[in-house]
Amino acid sequence: MYQVEAKNRLQSSIFHPLLREWHSGNLQITPVNLMYPIFILNSPDEKNEIISMPGVYRYGINHLEEMLKPLVAKGLKSVLLFGVIDDDLKNTFGTNADSNDNPIIKALPLLRKWFPDLVIACDVCLCPYTNHGHCGILYDDGTINNKESINRIAEIAVSYAKAGAHIVAPSDMMDGRIGAIKKALDNVNLTNKVSVLSYAVKFASGFYGPFRDASKSSPKFGDRKCYQLPPGSNGLASRAAARDVAEGADMLMVKPGLAYLDILRKTKDTYPDYPLFIYQVSGEYAMIYHAAKNNAINLKDVLLEILTSMKRAGADCIITYFTPYILDMLIPKSKY
Ligand code: PBG
Ligand code: ZN
C-alpha cells in the first residue's frame, strides 16, 4: 500500500481558515475590486426589470439617487453606465448617443453632484443608438466604415468626458478607436482628467445575449464577428491588447470573464503595469443566477469562488451585475 510521506502532506497547510487564507495569496475581494454596470433609460420616471437578467433593472434618472445611495454607503466605488433609448430615437449615425436627450449625458452631472466620491465610467458604443444595432457606422453594403466609426466614437467619448465621466470605455472594437479617442480628448485638454478603459480583448460571445435584450442593442442583421474577436484566437487577443496599449489606453479589459481566464492571465503577465478589468457579462450572471435559483449551486459560495478565480488570474477590477449582492457579502463577519 502506498504511504504518503510527511513532507508531501498538503493537508497540513489547510486545516484552519487562517492558514487557508495565508496560502491563498492576497485574493480578498474588496469594493475597490468591483464596478457596477447600470442601465439608464431615457424616460426619467420609468423603472423596469430585465426579463433575461432577473434582479437587474433599467432605471430612469429619477430612480438613480435612491438606488445608489445604500450601495455607496456599503462601499460602492465605481459604476459603468449604459444608455437605453426607445427605437424611434435611433438612426444610422447614432445621433442620440450624445445629444442633450441622451440619458448618460443627463445623468452624469447629477451623479457627480449626488456622489462626489463615486468614480463614473461610461460605455462608449453606437449599438444602443443606431437603427441597425451595429457598433459602428456602416457603408451602404452593411460593412463597417472605419474612419466614420472612430470619428463618431471619439466624438461621443468627448461628450461624455465633458459631461463629467471619469472614465470612457469604448466597447465597439473598431480599429483605431483608442488613438482617435485619446487625440480627441487631447484636443479639448481633457487627457489629464479622463481615463480610457479599453475593452481591448473582447470576444464575439454568446454570453452577451441577455445584455442585448437589456440595452435593446441587438444587431438587426448579421452578427458582430467582423469586429469582435473569435473565441479561439489567442493571437488576436494579444495583438488587440498590444495595439490598444500602443494607442494610449490607460486600462485594459478582457470580456467575457469565466471562459477567458487564460487570456486574462496572459494579458496581466504581458502588461503588469496596466490595471486589468474583467467583465462578468450578462450571460454569466444569468447562468449563475438560474443555477442557484434551482438549487444546483450555492450562490454565495460559487460567486466567491468565481470572483477569487478572476483575481487569481490577474484581475484588478471585476465588472459584475452581482455587485450589490457582493457588497452585502463583504460586510465583515468574523470567520474564525
Ligand atoms: C456593446 C456592449 C455589449 C456588452 C457591453 N457593451 C454587447 C455586445 O457587444 O454585443 C456586453 C455586456 C454584457 O453582456 O453584460 N458594445
Ligand atoms: Zn456596441
Side-chain angles (χ1 to χ4, degrees), residues 123 125-128 133-135 171-172 202 224 227-228:
D123 184 271
C125 201
L126 283 163
C127 58
H134 278 286
C135 303
S171 64
D172 54 292
K202 175 172 173 177
R224 305 207 201 289
Y227 42 99
Q228 300 179 349

Side-chain angles (χ1 to χ4, degrees), residues 62-90:
N62 293 343
H63 293 279
L64 288 176
E65 188 179 17
E66 183 195 348
M67 182 274 288
L68 279 167
K69 216 172 192 167
L71 300 180
V72 170
K74 288 174 198 167
L76 180 69
K77 301 258 178 283
S78 66
V79 291
L80 175 60
L81 308 184
F82 292 93
V84 186
I85 65 170
D86 298 329
D87 279 346
D88 58 351
L89 297 171
K90 303 186 184 191

Side-chain angles (χ1 to χ4, degrees), residues 173 175 199-205 208 224-241 243 253 255-256 260 263:
M173 293 298 281
D175 289 321
Y199 283 74
V201 191
K202 175 172 173 177
F203 292 91
S205 171
Y208 305 150
R224 305 207 201 289
K225 290 180 182 159
C226 290
Y227 42 99
Q228 300 179 349
L229 307 177
S233 175
N234 246 315
L236 286 169
S238 295
R239 290 170 59 196
R243 197 254 323 264
M253 192 196 301
K255 175 191 173 191
Y260 295 88
I263 302 287

Side-chain angles (χ1 to χ4, degrees), residues 24 26-29 257-266 268 276 278 280 284 288 301-318:
S24 298
N26 184 17
L27 296 178
Q28 204 119 44
I29 309 290
L258 197 54
Y260 295 88
L261 292 185
D262 56 330
I263 302 287
L264 190 77
R265 170 45 61 201
K266 191 169 74 163
K268 189 62 185 175
L276 185 55
I278 187 165
Q280 181 180 60
E284 297 178 73
I288 299 165
D301 292 346
V302 169
L303 188 54
L304 201 55
E305 186 175 338
I306 292 173
L307 298 174
T308 303
S309 314
M310 290 174 167
K311 267 205 116 174
R312 193 191 61 230
D316 297 295
C317 188
I318 301 164

